[in-house]
Amino acid sequence: MLKLKVNDIDVEVEEGLTVLQACEKAGVEIPRFCYHEKLSIAGNCRMCLVEMEKSPKPIASCAMPAAEGMNIKTNTSLVEKARKGVMEFLLANHPLDCPVCDQGGECDLQDQSMFYGVDKSRFKENKRAVPEKNMGPLIKTQMTRCIHCTRCVRFATEVAGVPELGAIGRGEDMQITTYLEQSMQSELSANVVDLCPVGALTSKPYVFEARPWELKKTETIDVMDAIGSNIRVDTYDWEVKRVLPIINEDINEEWISDKTRYACDGLLHQRLDTPYIKYNGKFEKASWQEVYKIIKSKLENTSKEKVSGFVGDLTNMETAYIFKEFFERTVETDNYESRSDNRYINISKRENYLFNSSINGIEDADLILLLGANPRYEATILNARIRKSYLNNSTRIVSLNDCGDLTYPYESLDGQTKTIKEIIDDTHKLSKEIESAKKPMIIIGESLLRLENAQYLFDNLKDFLNKKNKFSEDWNPLNVLSCDAATVGNFDLGVLNNKTNLIEDLKSNKFEIVFLIGQDNLNFAKKNEFVIYQGSHGDKGAECADIILPGSAYTEQDGYYTNLEGKIQKAFKASYPPGDAKEDWQIINELAEFMNNRKLFNDKEELDSSMLNYLKLQSEKQTEQNNNNSNSDFNNENLKIEIKDYYFSNVVAKSSKTMIECNNAKMNLKSTGTEG
């Protein structure tokens, strides 16, 4: 530990910290523009100047390492004068357009100019003017406002891994640009909007929508993937205007993907706002009582073996749980499923379907093996962690498949499952590398779990790691990369059927009634089935439905979600559903009451309590089951990674105009003449 003084207060800090960080430890806030905790140190803006004993001039605290015996002053007249001088330079060319700037009200430059600005400028020359740059459909540029802090450049290079953003020119003529004037090809690109301390980079879809003080702010959880990123949803009246990240070092740090940030405009389009009944091939509006009456009649006159239910990928845990209870207690059948494909899963032990090493644990791994996974598109935030691990620790990364640009170098293998068998049989070079690694990490994607040999590969891979003594109290190297927000929660609740293959039965038209809860990914040819669809958007499920029950989207109801590493997080209601739509759990509860004059749960609190108790009991009962298939015959397969279209991975994203623009920008890259 180092001992130093900050404003005559004794402070102890760890070695390797900067003077700025030491000042923050002492409770002294230092103004800054270029410095950011997650980025490399640039020392461009000089706003963080402080006085150091025996130094002839003020020092940049962000770039100066803290040392033993330092005496730092942050509140002297010299420091104030220096910061005022820096601010005068920063404002020399900065346009006075705060009233029309989207950054107004949450602008670092605005705040600091109130402390250190002057009422008159000595700058008499003409202000510079910089043309706007094309950075794609998400980022609006006003580069005349730019103060050259280079936060955006460092983020693109270091975190996003797309060195497309940089600076040309020098001094006053310096310009931040994408060089070839094309869209930033990164799924994290819009984080530069949060990083920009002035209004040079703002959100294009959000332009002129609202002022920050007009918005209601709700902290909640993202459902665009299985990461469970912590977000803040800002609403104006009932309309979701924007989504921003919340800092959570264990999950998303302070970044969110572009889909998380901008798919929210899909909440306004293609919404189901009233119950519908299909007559003669056309939907007609109906009342809740009418649809409940028809559903009751159908269920009472149909054999329970002919009824099935499927839960979707955005469904919160309360809805999945009450749906399961409805089927077991009211319909009296266990024909329910949450998978939309024939993926192998063993729910006897929770660790069989979790990302056990944890997202944060990626930074400790010294070998990462990707099997049937493309983390860039399946879990963007997790991919950024892998890149961080590579940059900080030179982590070796190997992928069974060639996944294209993952933003970090990796070795790709032949894509054959026989290679995995060779690793398991200890005949491949990677077997020795896994054995010698202190903390290896095997990441299994959903594409591998869809294979015919999935069970064989999973179970034997687990045995192999066990024989190599890679499992310990603080490290589990075997990880399953789930793609959907509801996946792990549904498995925890046991919303799946391992007795019979319901998917195949559905495709074979063995059911008379099919109940879909937000499930739009089932590929089956409807014949005579009576389909009930409950959801928020009119997508594939609603198209084939005979009755539509309008539910709520993820921002319109409280609910729990379990992320891929097994953390249960609560999403909070930020808005309310349109028209006659209701919360999903409420619809099923009312339907149960209509059928047998008794609600499943009296209120939401009782539902939550019952669900959490169920989860606790299940965790206590878990025991590893031996699988007979583990030593069955092995057939080599060519593993192809099947991932949903990144920008259209769920009903909300499919309904988003911004996601359409992003997809078009990616598909129609501007020709530069340098392609060869």
Side-chain angles (χ1 to χ4, degrees), residues 600-622:
L600 293 169
F601 300 96
N602 292 319
D603 51 34
K604 187 73 180 298
E605 284 184 17
E606 187 183 338
L607 170 60
D608 285 352
S609 177
S610 177
M611 182 190 74
L612 294 171
N613 285 334
Y614 176 86
L615 291 172
K616 188 179 178 182
L617 286 169
Q618 288 299 108
S619 64
E620 292 171 355
K621 288 195 298 185
Q622 283 192 341

PDB file of all heavy atoms in Angstrom, residues 600-622:
ATOM      1  N   LEU A 600     -55.754 -19.847  -9.345  1.00  0.00           N
ATOM      2  CA  LEU A 600     -54.558 -20.613  -8.971  1.00  0.00           C
ATOM      3  C   LEU A 600     -53.813 -19.918  -7.840  1.00  0.00           C
ATOM      4  O   LEU A 600     -53.297 -20.566  -6.926  1.00  0.00           O
ATOM      5  CB  LEU A 600     -53.640 -20.782 -10.181  1.00  0.00           C
ATOM      6  CG  LEU A 600     -54.179 -21.667 -11.317  1.00  0.00           C
ATOM      7  CD1 LEU A 600     -53.305 -21.546 -12.548  1.00  0.00           C
ATOM      8  CD2 LEU A 600     -54.266 -23.124 -10.888  1.00  0.00           C
ATOM      9  N   PHE A 601     -53.751 -18.568  -7.901  1.00  0.00           N
ATOM     10  CA  PHE A 601     -53.094 -17.763  -6.875  1.00  0.00           C
ATOM     11  C   PHE A 601     -53.935 -16.516  -6.625  1.00  0.00           C
ATOM     12  O   PHE A 601     -54.492 -15.941  -7.562  1.00  0.00           O
ATOM     13  CB  PHE A 601     -51.674 -17.376  -7.300  1.00  0.00           C
ATOM     14  CG  PHE A 601     -50.785 -18.559  -7.555  1.00  0.00           C
ATOM     15  CD1 PHE A 601     -50.608 -19.038  -8.847  1.00  0.00           C
ATOM     16  CD2 PHE A 601     -50.159 -19.216  -6.516  1.00  0.00           C
ATOM     17  CE1 PHE A 601     -49.807 -20.142  -9.090  1.00  0.00           C
ATOM     18  CE2 PHE A 601     -49.355 -20.321  -6.757  1.00  0.00           C
ATOM     19  CZ  PHE A 601     -49.189 -20.793  -8.041  1.00  0.00           C
ATOM     20  N   ASN A 602     -53.998 -16.095  -5.385  1.00  0.00           N
ATOM     21  CA  ASN A 602     -54.838 -14.941  -5.038  1.00  0.00           C
ATOM     22  C   ASN A 602     -54.285 -13.625  -5.565  1.00  0.00           C
ATOM     23  O   ASN A 602     -55.034 -12.727  -5.911  1.00  0.00           O
ATOM     24  CB  ASN A 602     -55.018 -14.863  -3.514  1.00  0.00           C
ATOM     25  CG  ASN A 602     -55.864 -16.023  -3.004  1.00  0.00           C
ATOM     26  OD1 ASN A 602     -56.864 -16.402  -3.628  1.00  0.00           O
ATOM     27  ND2 ASN A 602     -55.469 -16.606  -1.880  1.00  0.00           N
ATOM     28  N   ASP A 603     -52.952 -13.517  -5.566  1.00  0.00           N
ATOM     29  CA  ASP A 603     -52.327 -12.293  -6.062  1.00  0.00           C
ATOM     30  C   ASP A 603     -50.903 -12.605  -6.516  1.00  0.00           C
ATOM     31  O   ASP A 603     -50.427 -13.744  -6.418  1.00  0.00           O
ATOM     32  CB  ASP A 603     -52.315 -11.183  -4.985  1.00  0.00           C
ATOM     33  CG  ASP A 603     -51.750 -11.673  -3.646  1.00  0.00           C
ATOM     34  OD1 ASP A 603     -50.836 -12.520  -3.648  1.00  0.00           O
ATOM     35  OD2 ASP A 603     -52.255 -11.221  -2.596  1.00  0.00           O
ATOM     36  N   LYS A 604     -50.223 -11.576  -6.991  1.00  0.00           N
ATOM     37  CA  LYS A 604     -48.863 -11.742  -7.514  1.00  0.00           C
ATOM     38  C   LYS A 604     -47.876 -12.159  -6.410  1.00  0.00           C
ATOM     39  O   LYS A 604     -46.955 -12.942  -6.652  1.00  0.00           O
ATOM     40  CB  LYS A 604     -48.412 -10.426  -8.160  1.00  0.00           C
ATOM     41  CG  LYS A 604     -47.071 -10.501  -8.910  1.00  0.00           C
ATOM     42  CD  LYS A 604     -47.205 -11.247 -10.203  1.00  0.00           C
ATOM     43  CE  LYS A 604     -45.895 -11.356 -10.980  1.00  0.00           C
ATOM     44  NZ  LYS A 604     -45.341 -10.092 -11.389  1.00  0.00           N
ATOM     45  N   GLU A 605     -48.068 -11.634  -5.213  1.00  0.00           N
ATOM     46  CA  GLU A 605     -47.178 -11.967  -4.105  1.00  0.00           C
ATOM     47  C   GLU A 605     -47.223 -13.461  -3.790  1.00  0.00           C
ATOM     48  O   GLU A 605     -46.197 -14.095  -3.558  1.00  0.00           O
ATOM     49  CB  GLU A 605     -47.555 -11.160  -2.858  1.00  0.00           C
ATOM     50  CG  GLU A 605     -47.124  -9.710  -2.915  1.00  0.00           C
ATOM     51  CD  GLU A 605     -47.410  -8.953  -1.641  1.00  0.00           C
ATOM     52  OE1 GLU A 605     -47.647  -9.593  -0.607  1.00  0.00           O
ATOM     53  OE2 GLU A 605     -47.405  -7.707  -1.681  1.00  0.00           O
ATOM     54  N   GLU A 606     -48.411 -14.017  -3.795  1.00  0.00           N
ATOM     55  CA  GLU A 606     -48.568 -15.441  -3.523  1.00  0.00           C
ATOM     56  C   GLU A 606     -47.909 -16.279  -4.627  1.00  0.00           C
ATOM     57  O   GLU A 606     -47.271 -17.289  -4.364  1.00  0.00           O
ATOM     58  CB  GLU A 606     -50.053 -15.804  -3.407  1.00  0.00           C
ATOM     59  CG  GLU A 606     -50.297 -17.254  -2.949  1.00  0.00           C
ATOM     60  CD  GLU A 606     -51.759 -17.625  -2.907  1.00  0.00           C
ATOM     61  OE1 GLU A 606     -52.629 -16.719  -2.814  1.00  0.00           O
ATOM     62  OE2 GLU A 606     -52.062 -18.839  -2.976  1.00  0.00           O
ATOM     63  N   LEU A 607     -48.057 -15.828  -5.864  1.00  0.00           N
ATOM     64  CA  LEU A 607     -47.424 -16.497  -7.005  1.00  0.00           C
ATOM     65  C   LEU A 607     -45.906 -16.475  -6.863  1.00  0.00           C
ATOM     66  O   LEU A 607     -45.240 -17.508  -7.015  1.00  0.00           O
ATOM     67  CB  LEU A 607     -47.860 -15.828  -8.311  1.00  0.00           C
ATOM     68  CG  LEU A 607     -47.117 -16.234  -9.598  1.00  0.00           C
ATOM     69  CD1 LEU A 607     -47.272 -17.725  -9.872  1.00  0.00           C
ATOM     70  CD2 LEU A 607     -47.636 -15.430 -10.798  1.00  0.00           C
ATOM     71  N   ASP A 608     -45.348 -15.300  -6.568  1.00  0.00           N
ATOM     72  CA  ASP A 608     -43.899 -15.162  -6.401  1.00  0.00           C
ATOM     73  C   ASP A 608     -43.390 -16.068  -5.279  1.00  0.00           C
ATOM     74  O   ASP A 608     -42.384 -16.759  -5.427  1.00  0.00           O
ATOM     75  CB  ASP A 608     -43.528 -13.705  -6.090  1.00  0.00           C
ATOM     76  CG  ASP A 608     -43.621 -12.808  -7.319  1.00  0.00           C
ATOM     77  OD1 ASP A 608     -43.828 -13.350  -8.427  1.00  0.00           O
ATOM     78  OD2 ASP A 608     -43.499 -11.585  -7.189  1.00  0.00           O
ATOM     79  N   SER A 609     -44.084 -16.049  -4.163  1.00  0.00           N
ATOM     80  CA  SER A 609     -43.678 -16.845  -3.003  1.00  0.00           C
ATOM     81  C   SER A 609     -43.699 -18.339  -3.333  1.00  0.00           C
ATOM     82  O   SER A 609     -42.757 -19.070  -3.002  1.00  0.00           O
ATOM     83  CB  SER A 609     -44.604 -16.540  -1.828  1.00  0.00           C
ATOM     84  OG  SER A 609     -44.290 -17.333  -0.727  1.00  0.00           O
ATOM     85  N   SER A 610     -44.757 -18.789  -4.004  1.00  0.00           N
ATOM     86  CA  SER A 610     -44.879 -20.198  -4.379  1.00  0.00           C
ATOM     87  C   SER A 610     -43.774 -20.604  -5.343  1.00  0.00           C
ATOM     88  O   SER A 610     -43.175 -21.673  -5.210  1.00  0.00           O
ATOM     89  CB  SER A 610     -46.251 -20.442  -5.010  1.00  0.00           C
ATOM     90  OG  SER A 610     -46.373 -21.775  -5.454  1.00  0.00           O
ATOM     91  N   MET A 611     -43.484 -19.739  -6.296  1.00  0.00           N
ATOM     92  CA  MET A 611     -42.455 -20.032  -7.290  1.00  0.00           C
ATOM     93  C   MET A 611     -41.070 -20.130  -6.647  1.00  0.00           C
ATOM     94  O   MET A 611     -40.309 -21.073  -6.917  1.00  0.00           O
ATOM     95  CB  MET A 611     -42.450 -18.954  -8.373  1.00  0.00           C
ATOM     96  CG  MET A 611     -41.437 -19.200  -9.480  1.00  0.00           C
ATOM     97  SD  MET A 611     -41.260 -17.796 -10.580  1.00  0.00           S
ATOM     98  CE  MET A 611     -40.332 -16.673  -9.523  1.00  0.00           C
ATOM     99  N   LEU A 612     -40.726 -19.176  -5.791  1.00  0.00           N
ATOM    100  CA  LEU A 612     -39.417 -19.167  -5.144  1.00  0.00           C
ATOM    101  C   LEU A 612     -39.250 -20.369  -4.215  1.00  0.00           C
ATOM    102  O   LEU A 612     -38.163 -20.937  -4.114  1.00  0.00           O
ATOM    103  CB  LEU A 612     -39.216 -17.845  -4.378  1.00  0.00           C
ATOM    104  CG  LEU A 612     -39.139 -16.589  -5.274  1.00  0.00           C
ATOM    105  CD1 LEU A 612     -39.162 -15.319  -4.440  1.00  0.00           C
ATOM    106  CD2 LEU A 612     -37.903 -16.611  -6.168  1.00  0.00           C
ATOM    107  N   ASN A 613     -40.331 -20.766  -3.548  1.00  0.00           N
ATOM    108  CA  ASN A 613     -40.290 -21.970  -2.708  1.00  0.00           C
ATOM    109  C   ASN A 613     -40.067 -23.222  -3.558  1.00  0.00           C
ATOM    110  O   ASN A 613     -39.327 -24.129  -3.172  1.00  0.00           O
ATOM    111  CB  ASN A 613     -41.590 -22.110  -1.905  1.00  0.00           C
ATOM    112  CG  ASN A 613     -41.662 -21.141  -0.742  1.00  0.00           C
ATOM    113  OD1 ASN A 613     -40.633 -20.703  -0.226  1.00  0.00           O
ATOM    114  ND2 ASN A 613     -42.872 -20.791  -0.312  1.00  0.00           N
ATOM    115  N   TYR A 614     -40.723 -23.256  -4.705  1.00  0.00           N
ATOM    116  CA  TYR A 614     -40.557 -24.383  -5.631  1.00  0.00           C
ATOM    117  C   TYR A 614     -39.099 -24.496  -6.086  1.00  0.00           C
ATOM    118  O   TYR A 614     -38.527 -25.588  -6.113  1.00  0.00           O
ATOM    119  CB  TYR A 614     -41.486 -24.220  -6.833  1.00  0.00           C
ATOM    120  CG  TYR A 614     -41.314 -25.288  -7.888  1.00  0.00           C
ATOM    121  CD1 TYR A 614     -41.997 -26.495  -7.792  1.00  0.00           C
ATOM    122  CD2 TYR A 614     -40.460 -25.097  -8.977  1.00  0.00           C
ATOM    123  CE1 TYR A 614     -41.843 -27.484  -8.757  1.00  0.00           C
ATOM    124  CE2 TYR A 614     -40.298 -26.063  -9.944  1.00  0.00           C
ATOM    125  CZ  TYR A 614     -40.985 -27.261  -9.830  1.00  0.00           C
ATOM    126  OH  TYR A 614     -40.813 -28.243 -10.795  1.00  0.00           O
ATOM    127  N   LEU A 615     -38.501 -23.344  -6.425  1.00  0.00           N
ATOM    128  CA  LEU A 615     -37.098 -23.332  -6.861  1.00  0.00           C
ATOM    129  C   LEU A 615     -36.172 -23.818  -5.756  1.00  0.00           C
ATOM    130  O   LEU A 615     -35.216 -24.554  -6.004  1.00  0.00           O
ATOM    131  CB  LEU A 615     -36.692 -21.920  -7.297  1.00  0.00           C
ATOM    132  CG  LEU A 615     -37.326 -21.392  -8.591  1.00  0.00           C
ATOM    133  CD1 LEU A 615     -36.993 -19.917  -8.780  1.00  0.00           C
ATOM    134  CD2 LEU A 615     -36.858 -22.182  -9.802  1.00  0.00           C
ATOM    135  N   LYS A 616     -36.470 -23.408  -4.526  1.00  0.00           N
ATOM    136  CA  LYS A 616     -35.660 -23.827  -3.385  1.00  0.00           C
ATOM    137  C   LYS A 616     -35.746 -25.338  -3.178  1.00  0.00           C
ATOM    138  O   LYS A 616     -34.739 -26.015  -2.974  1.00  0.00           O
ATOM    139  CB  LYS A 616     -36.121 -23.084  -2.128  1.00  0.00           C
ATOM    140  CG  LYS A 616     -35.222 -23.299  -0.921  1.00  0.00           C
ATOM    141  CD  LYS A 616     -35.724 -22.525   0.277  1.00  0.00           C
ATOM    142  CE  LYS A 616     -34.849 -22.781   1.498  1.00  0.00           C
ATOM    143  NZ  LYS A 616     -35.362 -22.050   2.696  1.00  0.00           N
ATOM    144  N   LEU A 617     -36.945 -25.869  -3.260  1.00  0.00           N
ATOM    145  CA  LEU A 617     -37.149 -27.310  -3.092  1.00  0.00           C
ATOM    146  C   LEU A 617     -36.447 -28.105  -4.199  1.00  0.00           C
ATOM    147  O   LEU A 617     -35.833 -29.137  -3.947  1.00  0.00           O
ATOM    148  CB  LEU A 617     -38.644 -27.648  -3.091  1.00  0.00           C
ATOM    149  CG  LEU A 617     -39.430 -27.280  -1.821  1.00  0.00           C
ATOM    150  CD1 LEU A 617     -40.921 -27.419  -2.048  1.00  0.00           C
ATOM    151  CD2 LEU A 617     -38.986 -28.165  -0.661  1.00  0.00           C
ATOM    152  N   GLN A 618     -36.539 -27.592  -5.444  1.00  0.00           N
ATOM    153  CA  GLN A 618     -35.910 -28.277  -6.571  1.00  0.00           C
ATOM    154  C   GLN A 618     -34.396 -28.322  -6.416  1.00  0.00           C
ATOM    155  O   GLN A 618     -33.757 -29.322  -6.725  1.00  0.00           O
ATOM    156  CB  GLN A 618     -36.286 -27.592  -7.891  1.00  0.00           C
ATOM    157  CG  GLN A 618     -37.741 -27.808  -8.318  1.00  0.00           C
ATOM    158  CD  GLN A 618     -38.066 -29.272  -8.548  1.00  0.00           C
ATOM    159  OE1 GLN A 618     -38.778 -29.892  -7.757  1.00  0.00           O
ATOM    160  NE2 GLN A 618     -37.531 -29.830  -9.610  1.00  0.00           N
ATOM    161  N   SER A 619     -33.819 -27.228  -5.941  1.00  0.00           N
ATOM    162  CA  SER A 619     -32.364 -27.191  -5.764  1.00  0.00           C
ATOM    163  C   SER A 619     -31.901 -28.166  -4.686  1.00  0.00           C
ATOM    164  O   SER A 619     -30.812 -28.729  -4.769  1.00  0.00           O
ATOM    165  CB  SER A 619     -31.904 -25.772  -5.413  1.00  0.00           C
ATOM    166  OG  SER A 619     -32.439 -25.358  -4.175  1.00  0.00           O
ATOM    167  N   GLU A 620     -32.734 -28.366  -3.678  1.00  0.00           N
ATOM    168  CA  GLU A 620     -32.402 -29.311  -2.612  1.00  0.00           C
ATOM    169  C   GLU A 620     -32.529 -30.756  -3.075  1.00  0.00           C
ATOM    170  O   GLU A 620     -31.823 -31.635  -2.585  1.00  0.00           O
ATOM    171  CB  GLU A 620     -33.306 -29.073  -1.395  1.00  0.00           C
ATOM    172  CG  GLU A 620     -33.034 -27.742  -0.675  1.00  0.00           C
ATOM    173  CD  GLU A 620     -34.065 -27.431   0.386  1.00  0.00           C
ATOM    174  OE1 GLU A 620     -35.057 -28.208   0.502  1.00  0.00           O
ATOM    175  OE2 GLU A 620     -33.913 -26.407   1.092  1.00  0.00           O
ATOM    176  N   LYS A 621     -33.415 -31.007  -4.022  1.00  0.00           N
ATOM    177  CA  LYS A 621     -33.685 -32.373  -4.487  1.00  0.00           C
ATOM    178  C   LYS A 621     -32.745 -32.836  -5.589  1.00  0.00           C
ATOM    179  O   LYS A 621     -32.734 -34.004  -5.942  1.00  0.00           O
ATOM    180  CB  LYS A 621     -35.130 -32.485  -4.997  1.00  0.00           C
ATOM    181  CG  LYS A 621     -36.174 -32.456  -3.892  1.00  0.00           C
ATOM    182  CD  LYS A 621     -37.543 -32.915  -4.363  1.00  0.00           C
ATOM    183  CE  LYS A 621     -38.160 -32.125  -5.382  1.00  0.00           C
ATOM    184  NZ  LYS A 621     -39.539 -32.503  -5.748  1.00  0.00           N
ATOM    185  N   GLN A 622     -31.950 -31.933  -6.159  1.00  0.00           N
ATOM    186  CA  GLN A 622     -31.159 -32.271  -7.338  1.00  0.00           C
ATOM    187  C   GLN A 622     -30.086 -33.309  -7.052  1.00  0.00           C
ATOM    188  O   GLN A 622     -29.293 -33.166  -6.125  1.00  0.00           O
ATOM    189  CB  GLN A 622     -30.500 -31.024  -7.906  1.00  0.00           C
ATOM    190  CG  GLN A 622     -31.472 -30.154  -8.686  1.00  0.00           C
ATOM    191  CD  GLN A 622     -30.776 -29.092  -9.486  1.00  0.00           C
ATOM    192  OE1 GLN A 622     -29.637 -28.755  -9.234  1.00  0.00           O
ATOM    193  NE2 GLN A 622     -31.457 -28.525 -10.457  1.00  0.00           N
TER     194      GLN A 622
END
